[in-house]
Amino acid sequence: MRVFHSPASARHDPDRYFRRGSIVTHPEQADRYAILREAVGRAHDVSEPGDHGLEPIRAVHDAGYITFLRETWERRHELPGVGDEVLSGHFSRPHMYARPDGLLGLLGYHTADTSTPIRAGTWAAIHAGAQVAVETADAALEDRVAYALCRPPGHHAYADSAGGFCFLNNSGIAARRMQARMSARTGRPAKVAILDIDVHHGNGTQGIFYEADDVLTISIHADPANYFPYYAGYAEEIGAGAGIGYNVNLPLPHGEGDASFHGAIEKGLARIAEYAPDALVVALGLDASEHDPIGALKVTTPGFERAAGLIASVGLPTALVQEGGYLCDALPDNLAAFLSGFESGR
């Protein structure tokens, strides 16, 4: 299996995080990249992507938001006393009226929480992650499957907002890239499905495609009623407008393990079969693991291998895009098991 990564992924390196009234160690550290890179390098062809520019990012994200991400670190002098990261404690709500001009207001407008600070290397890291997703999408169309070691993750990022450790929606970028390439080849509109198996609901991905019927979004995750992202991920969210019926949420009770996880995947795959897409993106969170420090499910390492086999059996060109999965001894083993299971199941 071809694997794409970028060393620039480690340039976004938050070490602390304001959570539940305390400053704690940030779960989404640059060490995640190093651990996952070592794990895939043992058995797979590992390459760095070319630079495909901003166009694939613009296919998913708002132009003003992209400018915000690119320019914020250089504008940090506008905030007296700022240290090694730029962050706001003021966040916009749906009731509010305008996008402000000042940097502190923009930080609250374009971010949802305190988990997405902008630091010296943040733009370099997230831009590189998007290029990894694009290169992987291209390779998957040629080779039937490829893996994107994207870091930071992306599925909580909306078209114009960062949150939940995510800045650019790499899975969405991969989906639109595959769609564009297939449509250019065939001269007809192409359809893509995104299957998100991260323990957290892919709320940003849902938001981006909620009114679309050319991208089917399916998320399997822990019940959000008392778990991040709290405000989305419920079964009754089925899409809007042209997208009605093209968003599927399959929340699981906390503590569920392999059997429930695999059952939800089978339900998702049945809907994908009905949809009959031309390609598939798997938003590959590994934080459903029984060992994950911020997870809420109990999936085993063999359970990830089995999940991969189920998904591979669909037989579609598939881009595997790394989402969550946090620092624990099982993290590299879970990734290796999933990739092995996918190759065996093809």
Side-chain angles (χ1 to χ4, degrees), residues 8-342:
S9 295
R11 293 187 61 186
H12 176 69
D13 58 345
D15 58 357
R16 60 194 181 276
Y17 172 35
F18 182 74
R19 183 173 184 262
R20 301 177 186 175
S22 300
I23 303 296
V24 300
T25 300
H26 202 297
E28 209 293 290
Q29 298 180 28
D31 285 350
R32 290 184 64 241
Y33 163 75
I35 289 168
L36 295 171
R37 167 67 180 83
E38 182 180 359
V40 295
R42 300 186 194 117
H44 301 278
D45 176 18
V46 180
S47 305
E48 295 182 31
D51 188 344
H52 301 274
L54 293 178
E55 286 309 307
I57 300 173
R58 291 185 179 122
V60 170
H61 288 284
D62 174 78
Y65 176 60
I66 296 170
T67 298
F68 162 79
L69 293 174
R70 294 178 69 192
E71 295 182 356
T72 289
W73 183 250
E74 298 306 319
R75 292 181 59 183
R76 67 191 184 281
H77 64 275
E78 298 175 27
L79 303 178
V82 72
D84 58 359
E85 63 183 31
V86 183
L87 190 65
S88 180
H90 306 276
F91 301 102
S92 66
R93 302 293 297 274
H95 329 69
M96 294 187 179
Y97 175 70
R99 182 179 187 267
D101 295 326
L103 182 58
L104 189 60
L106 286 174
L107 283 161
Y109 186 87
H110 286 302
T111 61
D113 54 46
T114 59
S115 76
T116 50
I118 293 181
R119 301 169 68 98
T122 298
W123 173 252
I126 62 181
H127 181 267
Q131 305 310 313
V132 168
V134 171
E135 195 89 11
T136 298
D138 291 352
L141 293 178
E142 299 298 329
D143 302 334
R144 303 295 290 180
V145 64
Y147 167 67
L149 203 181
C150 294
R151 191 258 155 204
H155 72 149
H156 297 308
Y158 287 79
D160 63 354
S161 177
F165 314 152
C166 303
F167 297 86
L168 293 176
N169 196 300
N170 300 310
S171 292
I173 290 168
R176 284 300 190 206
R177 176 69 171 195
M178 295 176 91
Q179 200 169 44
R181 293 292 292 267
M182 289 185 294
S183 296
R185 289 180 185 178
T186 65
R188 62 173 179 81
K191 299 190 301 183
V192 177
I194 301 176
L195 177 63
D196 190 327
I197 63 170
D198 191 285
V199 77
H200 303 95
H201 173 244
N203 57 318
T205 309
Q206 172 177 291
I208 289 167
F209 298 108
Y210 204 62
E211 297 186 20
D213 62 1
D214 59 347
V215 177
L216 171 69
T217 53
I218 299 175
S219 181
I220 297 163
H221 51 271
D223 184 351
N226 191 30
Y227 192 64
F228 189 87
Y230 303 108
Y231 314 109
Y234 299 90
E236 56 267 32
E237 297 170 89
I238 61 170
I244 291 177
Y246 296 99
N247 186 82
V248 179
N249 287 325
L250 299 170
L252 298 175
H254 294 198
E256 291 292 297
D258 292 352
S260 295
F261 189 61
H262 296 154
I265 289 173
E266 288 172 341
K267 288 181 182 178
L269 295 179
R271 178 66 184 95
I272 289 170
E274 292 175 1
Y275 184 63
D278 301 288
L280 176 65
V281 173
V282 177
L284 178 55
L286 298 169
D287 43 5
S289 168
E290 60 183 337
H291 300 295
D292 194 272
I294 61 173
L297 298 178
K298 300 295 182 183
V299 178
T300 66
T301 298
F304 280 111
E305 185 172 9
R306 170 65 176 153
L310 291 171
I311 298 167
S313 69
V314 174
L316 290 167
T318 302
L320 307 172
V321 179
Q322 187 65 51
E323 295 289 355
Y326 299 96
L327 297 176
C328 63
D329 291 343
L331 179 60
D333 295 335
N334 290 337
L335 177 59
F338 188 93
L339 297 184
S340 175
F342 200 96

